Amino acid sequence: MFDLTLSFDNGPTADVTPFVLDVLARRGVKSTFFVIGEKLARADNRALTERAHAEGHWIGNHTWSHSLPFGLMAPDAANSEFDRTQAAIGPLGHARRFFRPYGQGGNLDNRLLSKPVLDHLSRERATIVLWSALPRDWQDPDGWVERALGQVAALPWSLMVLHDLPTGAMRHLDRFIGLIGERGGRIRQDFPPDCMPMVDGEMRFSIDEYVAA
Ligand SMILES: [Zn+2]
């Protein structure tokens, strides 16, 4: 028995996000979409995020440009990336202001954030949502399912990052969800506490190793 929370980063994406939403609806699974702010400038992308929200998924902030980890960015630029994306998400955003930092390939290290950015996120009462399972669907659009099954079996409750990007990986989403059920997994929408170092602007545990010196 294990629990699994699913999240979809880097969208929304025409043709892919609707397919993901269809699969999740058919399977009765709720998840979180961490969207890239600048993508919401397009009306069709905006509509996809509205659809995800209307279908009960949570919407989080995954930076404006997804160009550099915040720990490598000038603090003002990074803070503005967060703010602009919150503004673009607007009322579609979850009340806890979920923010997933950009890890440039999923790296959890000291490029992820900086002290000025953490201070800003705290003032903005953000909730930082990291991850514990990264099957690298974008690099291995067919092989990620086996890797993902191994990762979730190793933890009592995983928070997995997948991507609603046009890699072809999401063709396997329905099969993956079916296999989770067959192996005794339970999919839930909320996040494991050990993936949330900041909740509503308050630090819950230290993440010094993810903060630039
Ligand atoms: Zn990303």
Side-chain angles (χ1 to χ4, degrees), residues 2-8 132-138 140-155 157-163 169-170 172-173 175-177 179-181 183 185 187:
F2 57 89
D3 283 10
L4 168 63
T5 301
L6 290 178
S7 58
F8 297 88
S132 56
L134 189 78
R136 300 194 170 267
D137 56 305
W138 74 94
D140 188 4
D142 295 315
W144 69 267
V145 171
E146 279 306 312
R147 191 172 306 112
L149 291 168
Q151 290 176 354
V152 297
L155 288 175
W157 183 5
S158 302
L159 171 46
M160 181 172 290
V161 181
L162 297 172
H163 297 83
M170 291 302 96
H172 303 294
L173 180 63
R175 180 169 64 89
F176 173 64
I177 291 173
L179 287 167
I180 290 294
R183 295 181 186 200
I187 301 183

Side-chain angles (χ1 to χ4, degrees), residues 51-131:
R51 178 184 161 194
H53 177 260
E55 294 182 0
H57 303 289
W58 293 340
I59 308 301
N61 178 330
H62 189 40
T63 81
W64 179 261
S65 67
H66 206 261
S67 54
L68 268 182
F70 279 10
L72 297 181
M73 222 181 241
D76 285 354
N79 294 343
S80 156
E81 290 241 348
F82 173 83
D83 295 344
R84 291 175 78 188
T85 304
Q86 279 307 121
I89 294 170
L92 302 177
H94 192 279
R96 304 196 88 160
R97 301 163 73 82
F98 295 138
F99 171 66
R100 169 161 285 158
Y102 168 46
Q104 206 167 35
N107 297 306
L108 280 171
D109 61 26
N110 66 2
R111 292 169 290 181
L112 200 65
L113 293 163
S114 67
K115 183 71 169 69
V117 168
L118 272 183
D119 290 344
H120 182 72
L121 294 173
S122 177
R123 280 192 301 273
E124 293 297 318
R125 303 182 327 281
T127 296
I128 299 175
V129 183
L130 303 178
W131 56 90

Side-chain angles (χ1 to χ4, degrees), residues 139-212:
Q139 287 173 338
D140 188 4
D142 295 315
W144 69 267
V145 171
E146 279 306 312
R147 191 172 306 112
L149 291 168
Q151 290 176 354
V152 297
L155 288 175
W157 183 5
S158 302
L159 171 46
M160 181 172 290
V161 181
L162 297 172
H163 297 83
D164 46 336
L165 288 173
T167 60
M170 291 302 96
R171 285 194 306 252
H172 303 294
L173 180 63
D174 185 72
R175 180 169 64 89
F176 173 64
I177 291 173
L179 287 167
I180 290 294
E182 286 173 23
R183 295 181 186 200
R186 185 176 67 137
I187 301 183
R188 54 196 288 179
Q189 191 172 20
D190 57 333
F191 303 123
D194 62 357
C195 288
M196 292 191 294
M198 178 184 287
V199 176
D200 300 333
E202 295 195 1
M203 290 305 294
R204 292 294 171 88
F205 56 87
S206 159
I207 49 167
D208 288 348
E209 67 270 38
Y210 305 151
V211 178

